[in-house]
Structure formats: C-alpha cells, structure tokens
Amino acid sequence: MAAASNLQSEDQFLCSICLDVFTDPVTIPCGHNFCKNCINEHWNTSDRCQCPMCKKVFNTRPELHVNTFISEMVVQFRQSAQQKTSSSSSEQQVSRPGEVPCDVCTGTKLKALKSCLVCLASYCETHLEHHLTASRLKKHQLIDPVENLEGRMCTKHDKPLELFCKTDQTCVCMLCLVVDHKMHDVVPLKEVYEGKKAELGKTEAEIQQMIQKRRLKIEEIKHSVDLSEEDADREIAEGVQVFTALKESVERGQANLIDSIKEKQKTTEKQTKAFIKELEQEISELTKRRTEIEQLSRSEYQLHLLQSVQSLKAAPPTKDWTEVSVRPSYERTVGRAVAQLEGTLSKEMKKLVTAELKRIQQYAVDVTLNPDTAHPKLILCDDGKQVNHGDVRKNLPDNPKTFSDCVSVLGKQSFSSGRFYFEVQVKGKTEWDLGVARESINRKGGNTLKPEDGYWTICLRNGNEYKAPAGPSVLLSLKSQPQKVGVFVDYEEGLVSFYDVDAAALIYSFTGCCFTEKLLPYFCPCLNERGKNSAPLIISSVFVN
C-alpha cells in the first residue's frame, strides 16, 4: 500500500471509458482495468464482447470480479487526494471581482473551478470533490464556471431549459413543450446548439478569410509603398539628372556668353584703338598742313605765294567719320545664348514628357463606345472603336442615357478609383471634343463643357483653335497639331491630363479636381460640316514600350 501513496499520476487510476477514477475496478482477461459498471454497459451496447483498449475479442463474456488490489490502491489515492485538497485549501484563490465564486463556501468565497448544470451550483476545488468521487454525482454535467446558473432554469416551471422552440426562437423546458409549445417545432437544445455552433464556425471561417484578405491587402499596400519608393527614387534620380544637365547647360551658356562678350569687347577695344590711331594721324597731318597754310597766308610776295600754293595741291584727308562708330552687339549675343538655352530646355522637357508618357501608358485600358448613349445622328462602328457624325437622324426609342442635343457618346467603361489611360486618333478632323465626364451629366440639353457641369475636356475649333473649357476657356498654344491624343486620369489625385502622343508633349492638365462619382470617357466628333469634318474619332490601341 505504501507504493500506492508514492504514485505521482492520477492517470493510473482513471477508467478509459468514463475517464474518471475507478469505481469497483475489474480486470478482464487481456489485463486491462475498467469500472465494473462501465465495462458491463459497454458490452451491453456492443454487438461483440471485446476490450475497448486492445480490441481483443472474447468468445464468451468473462465473469467479472472486483480487483481488490487496485480497489485498495484507489482508496489510498482518494484519501491522499483529499489530504492534499485539505492541505492546499488555504492556498486556493479567493474569488475576485469578475470571477465565479463557490456557492458552498461560507465566509470567504473561494474561486469556483466548475459549475454543475444539474445542481445549478458552482464549486471550488474542495467542494468539487464529491462530484468526482460519489458515483451518483459523477454523471452530472460539469462545465467551466459560469455565473447566473438560474438563467438555465425555466422561470415558469423551475425545470432545466433542455429544448429549443424554433417557432418562437426561445429555449423551453419539458413542461413548456406540453403546455405552451405543444404544436410548435421543438427540438433538443443540443441539436440547435450544434447547428448554431456550425454557423458560428462558418462565420468564424468567413471572418478569418476576411482577416486573411485584409492581411494580404496590407502586404499589397506595403508592396505598393515599396514600389512607390522605388518610383520616387527613380523620379528623383531622373529629375536630378535632368536638372543637373540643365544647370550644366546654363553654366556653359553663361560661360560662353561671358567669353563671347569679352571677346567682342576685346575686338571693340582693338577697333577703337585703330580708329583713334588713324584719327590722331589725320589730325597730325591736318595740323601740319594748317601750319603751312597759315605761314603761306602771311607771305607778302605774290610770286612766292603762287608758287607755294602749287606745292600744296596734295588733297588733305577726306575720310568721312560721320557714320563711323563703335556699337557692340551684346544684346544679340545674350539673345542667342537664351535661345540656345531654350532649345536645350525644350529637348530636356521632351525627354521628361516622353518618359512620363511611357509610364502612364502602363495604365492603358480597353475603351469601347456605348451605343445606348450615342446621339441619333452619330454613326458607330460595330467594334465600338470609331464614331463620326452622319446627316440622317436615326429613329430610336427614348432612352435617358442617350444624348438628345449634343452629338456626343460615352464609353462603356466607368472608373471610380485608380488611374486609367486611353488614346484617340483625331487625324483629319477640324473640330472635336475629347475627355472624361461624370456619369450624372445632363444628356438632354446643350452641353457646357466645364468641370462644374461634370466635364473635363479639350476642344478643337476651326481647324487650328485649341482650348480647354476650364470655367473661363483657356486658349492652348500648340507647336504642332496633334494627330493622336492621349487622355490620362488619376482619380485619387484629381488629375486629368491630355498629351500629343506623336510629339510626346503635354497639351493641358486639369489639377485639383474632386471626383465623387464614376467617370466615363467622353467623345464628340462634332458636325461633319458638309464633309469638311467627316473623319471619325478612332479609339486607338496603346503600344507600351
């Protein structure tokens, strides 16, 4: 018996069927031990007589006798457990606010370890012992400690709430079923519990999936930030390169300008010295001649004067200095230097816009025309990529989406976030409108293509007059007539930009826009003007390098 008191594990005294400490332990022929009632009930409900542990089958049902040795060891174990419980009761935790107290403790309430759904009471470690040892209490259902056990009882009949009425969606007891819910759809509480548990499991799985999606979105956003940083670094590097080149070009231009002006100044000084030397030489000759004439004029001898006059026949200097001047052309030098700098700046700007255009072409989308929005006089190709104005008005049913006055059409695709880009060929046209529009624009009256009315467009009129209706229209001065126009929109940034694709030049940008609804591509080929403007607007494929 002394050996029993030294056993360290409770597992050696647990029945593998009821998972509780042995009650009347018996040993079957294969050597495994069980509670007598447990193994009998197991064999009573089984179609064969076999060991629950090793699955050994017995042809005849063994006669069972209580194993006195194991029974005495179990008694020793329980006594030891009770002594430990008694000695450690002072060390048990006192119930604190928010914790479930023991219902049996008098005076200081200890923290409950379990609640019994049959007794409707909660027990600390000491008072729980009876539920672990008494055979009639061992079958009670124990759960983790909970408050308000009375809430599990029917307030009307004082019976356990064991059923669930699907009709009234409430928990009921057995008497409720007979009295108040006789014709209702009532099922065991466990059945509803399992269903609700399955629903909660499904909901939990869905929530977990949502969490996972958001975590993936976080990773995506982080990756976007990394890409943004890379783009920023590249932009900075390109910007530094461009501005360094411009700075060096300006410094070279300045140095060349200074050298040129200094060289001109040296030439001017050299020319001035030559002029002065020549003038001084002429002054010297003229002074000498004046002296001779003055001396001759004083002579009183007629013959001498006449003879001397003959010797003065050599003409004095006759060069006309009236138009001679020193006028350095520094202004023209500065002008040429500035013109050269402007040319360099234009080249660098073209490089920047070309690089920018290549980047935004990465956001190209496939745009097609929406025939439901087209004015009745517009002619659309079957592929939805071309539109031009015709003379015949089609007899179409009234459609709130259709433009009734303006010969316009919208794209099928709409955008409410992100960036998008498309290109339109305008070659051969003398008038057109092009851009994007809000989904809610007025389609039944005359269009005023202004941002406040939901339009962000540029226009061509009279073959060579370009403007951006930005409230007061902005006249656009373009070096060349665009043959293909690129339209780029950054929804979040509030930006709409137009590009001359072939010239790789920025035409105009609407900035600081506030978009609050869907945007759609907007096209207006304008009237054909008796064939002068019959060329179509063509949505082009975007070729990205």
Side-chain angles (χ1 to χ4, degrees):
M1 296 302 172
S5 62
N6 293 328
L7 293 177
Q8 300 296 319
S9 174
E10 180 184 357
D11 295 342
Q12 300 178 61
F13 305 102
L14 295 182
C15 172
S16 60
I17 297 178
C18 67
L19 301 178
D20 205 345
V21 178
F22 287 126
T23 300
D24 296 332
V26 295
T27 304
I28 62 178
C30 62
H32 290 112
N33 302 304
F34 305 95
C35 296
K36 187 175 182 180
N37 287 338
C38 291
I39 190 64
N40 277 326
E41 289 181 7
H42 175 73
W43 284 341
N44 290 337
T45 58
S46 178
D47 58 353
R48 63 173 63 183
C49 184
Q50 65 177 10
C51 176
M53 295 289 290
C54 66
K55 306 302 180 184
K56 180 177 177 59
V57 178
F58 307 109
N59 295 327
T60 58
R61 183 164 175 167
E63 186 177 353
L64 301 177
H65 301 282
V66 175
N67 188 320
T68 56
F69 177 74
I70 297 178
S71 180
E72 291 176 0
M73 291 182 65
V74 169
V75 172
Q76 290 289 332
F77 171 76
R78 285 178 173 167
Q79 291 175 352
S80 176
Q82 289 177 350
Q83 291 174 0
K84 290 181 179 179
T85 301
S86 300
S87 62
S88 62
S89 60
S90 59
E91 299 176 3
Q92 294 184 45
Q93 294 183 2
V94 176
S95 175
R96 290 177 291 185
E99 295 179 340
V100 179
C102 176
D103 291 324
V104 182
C105 289
T106 57
T108 303
K109 294 284 188 179
L110 298 182
K111 177 182 176 181
L113 293 184
K114 294 289 181 179
S115 294
C116 178
L117 294 180
V118 179
C119 302
L120 294 178
S122 299
Y123 303 102
C124 65
E125 183 177 357
T126 300
H127 296 117
L128 182 63
E129 181 64 22
H130 294 290
H131 276 76
L132 301 177
T133 57
S135 57
R136 65 181 183 86
L137 298 179
K138 285 195 301 180
K139 295 183 180 181
H140 287 194
Q141 186 177 356
L142 298 177
I143 61 172
D144 289 335
V146 294
E147 293 182 319
N148 190 27
L149 284 169
E150 292 78 7
R152 298 174 179 269
M153 299 293 289
C154 176
T155 56
K156 187 175 182 180
H157 304 110
D158 198 26
K159 296 291 183 182
L161 297 172
E162 300 175 318
L163 303 172
F164 184 81
C165 177
K166 290 185 176 181
T167 306
D168 294 336
Q169 291 292 302
T170 184
C171 296
V172 297
C173 69
M174 294 298 294
L175 289 179
C176 290
L177 173 62
V178 177
V179 178
D180 301 321
H181 302 265
K182 187 174 182 180
M183 304 301 295
H184 291 184
D185 183 8
V186 178
V187 296
L189 199 63
K190 183 177 181 181
E191 180 180 328
V192 181
Y193 164 79
E194 295 296 338
K196 292 296 182 183
K197 192 173 182 180
E199 289 181 10
L200 291 175
K202 183 179 178 181
T203 303
E204 182 183 5
E206 292 174 351
I207 293 175
Q208 182 61 34
Q209 189 176 11
M210 293 171 65
I211 292 172
Q212 186 63 24
K213 286 183 179 180
R214 280 152 181 77
R215 285 175 177 167
L216 291 175
K217 178 58 69 174
I218 289 175
E219 294 302 319
E220 179 185 334
I221 293 173
K222 287 181 178 179
H223 182 60
S224 298
V225 171
D226 293 338
L227 294 179
S228 178
E229 289 179 356
E230 293 175 5
D231 290 342
D233 292 340
R234 185 175 62 252
E235 290 284 337
I236 291 173
E238 291 178 358
V240 169
Q241 182 180 359
V242 169
F243 279 96
T244 299
L246 289 176
K247 181 181 177 182
E248 292 174 353
S249 178
V250 170
E251 290 175 348
R252 283 196 304 270
Q254 179 181 345
N256 292 337
L257 175 64
I258 293 173
D259 291 342
S260 177
I261 292 175
K262 286 183 177 180
E263 188 63 30
K264 285 181 176 291
Q265 179 61 21
K266 289 179 181 179
T267 302
T268 300
E269 289 177 357
K270 184 177 180 180
Q271 186 182 34
T272 300
K273 288 179 180 180
F275 286 159
I276 292 174
K277 183 177 181 181
E278 186 177 355
L279 286 168
E280 288 178 345
Q281 185 176 352
E282 289 188 2
I283 289 172
S284 176
E285 292 177 1
L286 290 171
T287 301
K288 181 179 179 182
R289 187 174 184 82
R290 187 190 67 182
T291 301
E292 291 176 353
I293 292 174
E294 183 180 357
Q295 290 178 353
L296 184 60
S297 65
R298 292 176 183 172
S299 175
E300 296 180 355
Y301 299 100
Q302 297 178 356
L303 180 60
H304 178 264
L305 186 144
L306 292 174
Q307 292 175 341
S308 297
V309 168
Q310 293 296 325
S311 65
L312 293 175
K313 285 183 179 180
T318 57
K319 184 174 181 178
D320 186 4
W321 289 89
T322 305
E323 301 298 329
V324 176
S325 63
V326 179
R327 297 176 181 175
S329 57
Y330 300 143
E331 296 83 357
R332 292 192 297 274
T333 302
V334 174
R336 283 196 296 271
V338 172
Q340 291 176 354
L341 181 60
E342 183 179 2
T344 302
L345 181 60
S346 296
K347 290 180 181 179
E348 294 300 328
M349 283 295 296
K350 184 176 178 62
K351 290 180 183 178
L352 282 177
V353 176
T354 300
E356 179 183 358
L357 189 56
K358 287 182 179 179
R359 282 195 297 274
I360 66 175
Q361 283 176 334
Q362 303 292 332
Y363 299 99
V365 294
D366 184 19
V367 173
T368 52
L369 302 172
N370 186 353
D372 291 339
T373 66
H375 184 276
K377 281 193 175 183
L378 290 183
I379 301 173
L380 276 64
C381 288
D382 293 339
D383 62 0
K385 296 291 185 180
Q386 298 186 30
V387 59
N388 63 297
H389 178 256
D391 294 322
V392 179
R393 185 183 183 95
K394 294 186 287 291
N395 186 16
L396 300 174
D398 185 37
N399 188 333
K401 296 181 179 180
T402 303
F403 287 94
S404 59
D405 292 347
C406 298
V407 287
S408 305
V409 61
L410 296 174
K412 284 184 179 180
Q413 294 72 23
S414 61
F415 306 89
S416 56
S417 64
R419 302 167 180 172
F420 63 95
Y421 172 82
F422 61 95
E423 293 178 352
V424 181
Q425 180 179 305
V426 296
K427 183 178 180 180
K429 295 194 66 61
T430 58
E431 293 190 355
W432 48 261
D433 303 332
L434 187 62
V436 294
R438 283 200 303 255
E439 188 177 36
S440 63
I441 55 172
N442 178 22
R443 308 182 193 187
K444 299 303 180 182
N447 288 2
T448 55
L449 302 179
K450 297 184 294 184
E452 51 263 39
D453 293 330
Y455 295 88
W456 293 266
T457 64
I458 58 172
C459 309
L460 170 64
R461 295 292 183 268
N462 302 320
N464 58 2
E465 297 176 7
Y466 295 90
K467 63 180 181 178
S473 293
V474 178
L475 295 178
L476 305 176
S477 178
L478 307 183
K479 292 183 179 180
S480 61
Q481 289 190 323
Q483 303 299 300
K484 185 183 291 185
V485 177
V487 183
F488 173 68
V489 177
D490 189 324
Y491 195 96
E492 282 74 21
E493 189 176 340
L495 173 69
V496 182
S497 295
F498 299 86
Y499 292 87
D500 182 338
V501 177
D502 297 326
L506 176 65
I507 298 175
Y508 186 77
S509 287
F510 291 90
T511 59
C513 308
C514 182
F515 303 130
T516 57
E517 59 181 270
K518 292 180 180 179
L519 297 179
L520 299 95
Y522 172 80
F523 309 86
C524 177
C526 296
L527 304 179
N528 62 26
E529 298 292 344
R530 296 182 179 178
K532 293 181 181 179
N533 189 38
S534 60
L537 290 175
I538 304 175
I539 302 172
S540 307
S541 299
V542 179
F543 298 98
V544 182
N545 295 327

